[in-house]
Amino acid sequence: MNTFPADSGRVHDAPSNNWVYRALPRALWPYAQLARWDRPIGWQLLLWPCLWSAALASATAASLGSFSAGRFLFHVFLFTVGAIAMRGAGCTYNDIVDHDIDMEVARTRSRPLPSGRVTRFQAKAFMVLQALVGLLVLLQFNGFTVFLGIVSLALVAIYPFAKRFTDWPQFFLGLAFSWGAIVGWSAEFGGLSLAAVVLYGAAIAWTIGYDTIYAYQDREDDELIGVRSTARRFGDNPRPWLIGLYGLAVLLMSLAFVAAGAGFFAYAGLLVAAVMLGYQILVLNIHDPLQCLALFKFNSVVGLIVFAGLVLTLLVRLI
């Protein structure tokens, strides 16, 4: 991980060559760091379940003769903007809630709030601004999808507190981060289906798995300050748990594809993704924080592969 002098304006665990530090004036760096613009992996992982669901729904719509390429591309654009805005708002909210905890953890002590580079009032104002962007995006969808988006705020609000009362805060992260798996479907059809609900379950299991790997970076600090996590719960032998979680994710995703009548390329993409998930489990070294971070980030490629398979399925339907 990167280490910087206290007055460098950087954070301990973010890339020092990110576009944020080249393109934005120094006064805006703390806000970019609150939103994690210098760490795009978060909004990417939030985005993939949205895009999986949108592509799966679009392939189903193509079979029914109701597919619109313009609508699909517009939804992809909206989900991307919404993921960036809401992930930023969620991270800002999380930093406000965890202000005192972040001061005690070496990896997070250099973040804008614990380092004093922004005030709590400034962070709250920035959070509201990002949430308003997310609301503007949400209002472009149908009424049922707007309702689902509002419901998801309860999950977002609960997550930062989960580490205080359960060993499974990653489950609550999964509930919030995977919500796009049902929203993508509802944006297309104005309602839900078994396929969307099962896909949501798959995304939750996937999220718990990859965020457990991420949490091993902080396990020692978490033990010292009493913060709970699946990394602490699984201890020194997380592989059986990860096999179960990633295996459940693949199983549920395949069942979602069956329920939606997905084509060959969807299953081919899922097979490649399953191999990538197995690779993570095989090589994982929980005592190497840099490797844990790299494997966590590798899950964006997993999400991309699943999405590519679903898009190919859609394209085949249109030929």
Side-chain angles (χ1 to χ4, degrees):
M1 293 184 180
N2 298 304
T3 55
F4 304 106
D7 61 350
S8 69
R10 309 298 179 88
V11 292
H12 181 66
D13 58 345
S16 60
N17 61 347
N18 187 270
W19 70 270
V20 162
Y21 305 110
R22 299 193 304 271
L24 296 183
R26 188 182 177 101
L28 295 182
W29 288 5
Y31 298 98
Q33 292 161 356
L34 280 172
R36 310 294 196 269
W37 293 341
D38 54 344
R39 281 171 282 182
I41 181 61
W43 66 257
Q44 292 168 4
L45 293 173
L46 178 62
L47 177 62
W48 288 127
C50 301
L51 297 190
W52 298 346
S53 186
L56 187 62
S58 293
T60 302
S63 298
L64 299 173
S66 60
F67 171 73
S68 166
R71 183 171 63 245
F72 173 66
L73 293 175
F74 184 49
H75 286 176
V76 168
F77 169 75
L78 289 175
F79 285 134
T80 302
V81 175
I84 294 171
M86 292 311 295
R87 187 263 185 152
C91 286
T92 305
Y93 171 67
N94 192 75
D95 281 5
I96 293 169
V97 172
D98 284 349
H99 187 177
D100 293 337
I101 292 176
D102 285 346
M103 294 180 69
E104 303 298 326
V105 177
R107 188 176 61 83
T108 58
R109 196 174 295 134
S110 58
R111 288 179 178 175
L113 269 171
S115 66
R117 287 181 287 119
V118 295
T119 65
R120 290 179 64 86
F121 175 80
Q122 290 170 327
K124 290 175 181 178
F126 184 53
M127 177 187 68
V128 170
L129 178 62
Q130 293 173 93
L132 288 175
V133 174
L135 177 61
L136 180 62
V137 168
L138 183 62
L139 292 177
Q140 308 309 305
F141 294 107
N142 57 58
F144 184 66
T145 302
V146 172
F147 167 74
L148 288 177
I150 293 172
V151 170
S152 72
L153 295 179
L155 301 174
V156 174
I158 292 171
Y159 165 65
F161 299 97
K163 64 175 68 74
R164 294 163 168 83
F165 63 80
T166 178
D167 290 338
W168 291 83
Q170 281 70 24
F171 171 71
F172 288 88
L173 177 67
L175 291 176
F177 245 56
S178 305
W179 199 251
I182 57 176
V183 170
W185 188 278
S186 72
E188 177 66 30
F189 291 113
L192 294 180
S193 72
L194 178 63
V197 173
V198 175
L199 185 65
Y200 178 52
I204 292 171
W206 179 55
T207 303
I208 298 172
Y210 69 61
D211 202 63
T212 294
I213 293 174
Y214 182 83
Y216 271 99
Q217 298 177 91
D218 297 330
R219 187 170 61 143
E220 293 182 2
D221 284 331
D222 288 348
E223 290 174 352
L224 288 174
I225 62 178
V227 169
R228 301 163 74 174
S229 71
T230 47
R232 291 189 61 195
R233 175 68 178 83
F234 300 166
D236 291 331
N237 189 28
R239 283 190 172 83
W241 291 94
L242 292 174
I243 290 170
L245 288 164
Y246 279 164
L248 180 62
V250 172
L251 173 62
L252 291 177
M253 204 171 296
S254 64
L255 292 176
F257 292 175
V258 170
F264 167 79
F265 287 106
Y267 296 101
L270 180 58
L271 178 61
V272 175
V275 172
M276 291 178 169
L277 294 174
Y279 167 79
Q280 294 177 41
I281 298 170
L282 182 65
V283 304
L284 175 63
N285 177 3
I286 61 173
H287 303 293
D288 183 349
L290 287 177
Q291 193 223 39
C292 290
L293 181 61
L295 291 177
F296 164 75
K297 291 181 176 180
F298 185 61
N299 279 279
S300 187
V301 181
V302 174
L304 173 61
I305 293 297
V306 174
F307 178 60
L310 290 168
V311 170
L312 285 174
T313 293
L314 170 60
L315 293 175
V316 168
R317 296 267 171 90
L318 297 174
I319 295 175

